[in-house]
């Protein structure tokens, strides 16, 4: 920790003289950090920048902007991040000459960043101010001043981007811009225009789109061409949230180096800031003092907040300086605007002193997600981390789209950061009949010349085991077969391998593989349902500390839920799935044609889990599942085209919960929806001579009862509850607690659920496809036992009413 460099993607950080520098850790000692301790160290690592007295003015501690492409001319300046304090030039479309005069004063007082925009209507005057300053000060180097401008919404058509940029350059009297930004993720028609300058401006507008990512990428590609032509050094975007920013980074050619957003203690956006810092993007905070011009009568005044005032008194600074220092100390660039010379100078003097950790924390706690700036044609909240409308974390996509290859096979990938976990999905009707040609694409290339081992159960083996093995052999791939037992009929009247999901049969598989021969390039191929998939996962994860793994899942539960995960486990006499590991399969192979070998109950078993993702994440998925069944009835379950469509939609909806698992408890509560109650019902159904329920059947009942919980807490309306019963019922899955089971029994059994801490914890729906969020951003609700009991009794009451109606 003796010497740490600021994080930098484009090369080492550089000072004004171009030389490298590092920041000695001991520089953070008192008086700059009077409370230096391990918590302060953690905050420093997260990005709170603190600067040495005398060195702080300028670029000290600023991470280098990401290098986007080699510059064609050696005399052109290096790419760099904007300075930490800049001068904003928006003045409600008024007094352009006054703004220009203020810009000169700002430059004289050491500002080296001007934030401009075509819309502001004062770029020509700002250009005059730049020329005046450079003449009066004798400054001839263009590189000394960082100038940003923005592309306005009615110039967003790709063919208009170049001319809009050239107009800004002409007015500013510059040959290039240091950064050119997209002002809003909105496109207006060319005939849209400003009609009034009152109250921040009134517009006559026709929208082309609002937030359409494909069209935004077309505009951004046109902006990238400006970099190629040397008109722009770096690119940026404004008013983007994490979701759109992530998509832009995934698809663009030249990464944005700047994100300009509203940011102040009332709208701190910590997750957005952290994401940008991790991606090497400088956040430029506009309205860093809140709104100091026109205000609505009910708007708060950040400068008069008691916490801000108290810290201003503690530090002998002005409230404005406290707010600006808070932004700078978080690693942001701040761009205050003022026409008063004394205030301009005061706003600049925030670099050579620091706030303490406790003062920073008190300001952080003011965060309420409040935006002073609103835009009638774009919902800022929709892409904000404070948004609860979508029912999922704002930084997480709703879907992860797959793709279709030249063979017509559908592919997808789910992965997780940290320890590498990544699995491909290969879905194609009839693939198991075509293994002689497609087998080499299913197995990793390094496995083609190795000894591979297919593990299946006796029921599946009788149906397709030898055929699948021979298909691989005909493709020139060596495969041996290992069979574990299965019973033809369990207590639920269905085939099952569950009794053999044990350490005994795990060791049997390991012994069989080792005796047959193995190398580091060998692959374990599972052929069967969840039990076989799980045992094979642990076998592959432990042999040679990990060899290749391919799941060929043959059940609806596997295709729609169980196989789409990293968890591998087998049972112990003390409980279910107690031994296992997180180990990713290389590929999960799905052939909807094999589902024709299943009965209706086993097919619906997986449909219940798919419906779970629809009820919690996507009403569109619900209709993908339910509408064809309402039209075609039960026979539709055995339609391979129907099931293929359900598979694809479910995979794309579920994958984000795996990829972003550690980002939010949303990704734990979604897959567990209805399960707190369902696990208890499923367990009880297998005891005391009751009619045994399959897992999906119990989940269907659990989801209906969980909707009752949400209604009792006032989180959803009665229509949402009714739709749960309607959609579950349309599939033919059970709706109600079985009559041979009491509410008290279920309540007692629920205490063994893994999410039960003093009382049940579960995710709840606010509406169909939308999860309910607590005030702290969590999706996990701790539910009073009486509420759960009331919900179960409401479900039982509905069962009794339905029985009486049927009898009548």
């Amino acid at each position: 920790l003796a010497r740490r460099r600021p994080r930098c993607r484009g090369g080492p950080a550089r000072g004004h003289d171009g030389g490298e520098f590092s920041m000695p850790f001991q520089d953070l000692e008192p008086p700059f950090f009077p409370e230096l301790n391990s918590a302060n160290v953690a905050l420093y690592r997260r990005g709170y920048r603190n600067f040495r007295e005398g060195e702080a003015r300028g670029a000290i501690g600023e991470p280098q902007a990401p290098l986007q492409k080699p510059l064609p001319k050696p005399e052109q300046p290096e790419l760099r991040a904007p300075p930490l304090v800049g001068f904003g030039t928006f003045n409600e479309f008024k007094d352009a000459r006054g703004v220009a005069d203020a810009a000169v004063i700002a430059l004289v007082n050491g500002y080296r960043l001007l934030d401009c925009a075509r819309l502001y209507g004062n770029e020509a005057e700002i250009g005059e101010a730049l020329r005046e300053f450079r003449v009066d000060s004798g400054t001839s180097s263009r590189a000394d001043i960082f100038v940003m401008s923005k592309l306005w919404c009615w110039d967003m058509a790709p063919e208009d981007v170049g001319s809009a940029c050239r107009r800004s350059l002409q007015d500013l009297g510059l040959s290039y811009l240091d950064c050119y930004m997209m002002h809003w993720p909105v496109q207006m028609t060319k005939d849209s225009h400003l009609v009034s300058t009152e109250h921040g401006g009134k517009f006559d507008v026709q929208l082309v789109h609002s937030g359409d990512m494909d069209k935004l990428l077309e505009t951004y590609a046109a902006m990238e061409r400006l970099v190629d032509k040397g008109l722009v050094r770096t690119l940026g975007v404004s008013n983007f949230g994490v979701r759109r920013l992530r998509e832009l980074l995934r698809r663009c050619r030249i990464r944005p180096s700047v994100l300009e957003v509203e940011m102040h203690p009332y709208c701190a956006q910590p997750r957005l800031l952290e994401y940008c810092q991790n991606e090497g993007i400088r956040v430029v905070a506009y309205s860093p003092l809140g709104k100091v011009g026109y205000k609505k009568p009910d708007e708060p005044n950040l400068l008069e907040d008691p916490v801000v005032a108290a810290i201003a008194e503690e530090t002998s600074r002005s409230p404005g300086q406290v707010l600006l220092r808070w932004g700078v100390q978080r690693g942001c660039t701040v761009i205050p605007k003022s026409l008063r010379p004394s205030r301009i100078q005061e706003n600049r003097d925030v670099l050579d002193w620091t706030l303490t950790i406790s003062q920073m924390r008190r300001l952080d706690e003011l965060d309420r997600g409040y935006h002073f700036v609103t835009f009638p044609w774009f919902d800022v909240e929709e892409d904000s981390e404070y948004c609860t409308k979508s029912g999922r974390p704002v930084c997480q996509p709703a879907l992860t789209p797959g793709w279709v290859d030249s063979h017509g096979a559908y592919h997808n990938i789910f992965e997780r950061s940290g320890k590498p976990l990544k699995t491909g999905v290969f879905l194609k009707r009839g693939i198991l009949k075509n293994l002689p040609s497609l087998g080499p694409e299913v197995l990793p290339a390094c496995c083609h010349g190795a000894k591979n081992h297919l593990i299946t159960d006796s029921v599946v083996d009788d149906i397709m085991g030898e055929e699948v093995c021979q298909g691989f052999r005909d493709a020139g791939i060596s495969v041996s077969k290992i069979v574990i037992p299965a019973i033809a009929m369990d207590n639920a009247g269905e085939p099952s391998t569950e009794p053999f999901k044990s350490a005994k049969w795990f060791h049997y598989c390991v012994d069989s593989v080792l005796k047959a021969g193995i190398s580091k390039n060998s692959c374990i191929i599972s052929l069967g349902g969840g039990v076989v998939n799980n045992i094979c996962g642990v076998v592959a994860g432990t042999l040679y500390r990990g060899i290749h793994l391919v799941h060929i899942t043959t059940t609806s539960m596997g295709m729609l839920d169980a196989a789409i995960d990293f968890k591998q486990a087998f049972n112990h006499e003390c409980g279910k799935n107690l031994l296992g590991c997180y180990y990713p399969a290389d590929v999960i192979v799905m052939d909807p044609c094999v589902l024709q070998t299943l009965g209706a109950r086993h097919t619906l078993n997986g449909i219940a889990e798919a419906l779970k993702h629809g009820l919690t994440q996507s009403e569109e998925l619900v209709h993908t599942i339910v509408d064809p069944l309402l039209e075609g009835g039960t026979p539709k379950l055995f339609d391979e085209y129907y099931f293929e469509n359900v598979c694809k939609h479910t995979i794309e909806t579920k994958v984000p919960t795996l990829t972003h698992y550690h980002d939010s408890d949303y990704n734990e509560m979604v897959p567990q929806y209805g399960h707190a109650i369902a696990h208890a019902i499923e367990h009880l159904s297998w005891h005391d001579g009751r009619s045994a329920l399959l897992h999906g059947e119990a989940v269907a009942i659990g989801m209906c009862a969980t909707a009752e919980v949400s209604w009792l807490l006032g989180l959803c309306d009665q229509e949402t509850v009714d739709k749960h019963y309607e959609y579950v019922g349309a599939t033919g899955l059970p709706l109600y607690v079985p009559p041979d089971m009491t509410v008290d029994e279920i309540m007692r059994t629920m205490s063994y659920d893994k999410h039960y801490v003093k009382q049940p914890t579960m995710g709840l729906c606010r509406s169909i496809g939308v999860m309910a969020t607590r005030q702290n951003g969590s999706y996990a609700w701790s539910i009073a036992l009486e509420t759960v009991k009331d919900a179960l009794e409401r479900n039982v009451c509905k069962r009794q009413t339905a029985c009486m109606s049927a009898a009548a």
Side-chain angles (χ1 to χ4, degrees), residues 103 174 184 228 236 365 507 562 569 644 681 697 707 760:
L174 302 175
W184 284 90
D228 299 335
E365 289 171 354
H507 286 294
E644 179 183 32
I681 292 174
E697 293 170 333

Side-chain angles (χ1 to χ4, degrees), residues 758-777:
K758 295 185 179 179
Q759 55 190 25
T761 301
M762 59 185 73
L764 300 171
C765 278
R766 193 175 76 232
S767 59
I768 299 300
V770 179
M771 292 285 277
T773 317
R774 294 168 55 199
Q775 284 189 334
N776 64 0

Side-chain angles (χ1 to χ4, degrees), residues 65-69 71 79-82 146-151 161 165 177-183 216-238 240 245 248-249 252-260 280-284:
L67 288 174
Q68 296 162 338
K69 59 172 288 182
L71 296 177
L79 304 184
R80 65 195 193 280
F146 197 103
V147 181
M148 305 191 297
S149 187
K150 305 180 194 72
L151 177 72
V161 170
C165 178
L177 292 168
D178 293 280
C179 184
Y180 195 46
M181 285 182 280
M182 188 183 298
H183 208 146
L216 292 174
L217 262 294
E218 293 174 6
T219 299
Y220 193 83
M223 295 170 65
E224 289 174 323
R225 291 191 285 273
L226 300 176
V227 178
D228 299 335
K229 295 175 181 177
L231 299 176
V232 171
R233 291 290 176 265
T234 63
L235 298 177
V237 290
S238 183
F240 274 47
L245 192 56
L248 176 62
L249 290 174
C252 70
R253 177 169 61 89
I254 299 176
R255 292 168 59 91
S257 62
V258 168
L259 170 69
E260 185 170 316
I281 297 171
R282 170 62 65 83
V283 172
V284 175

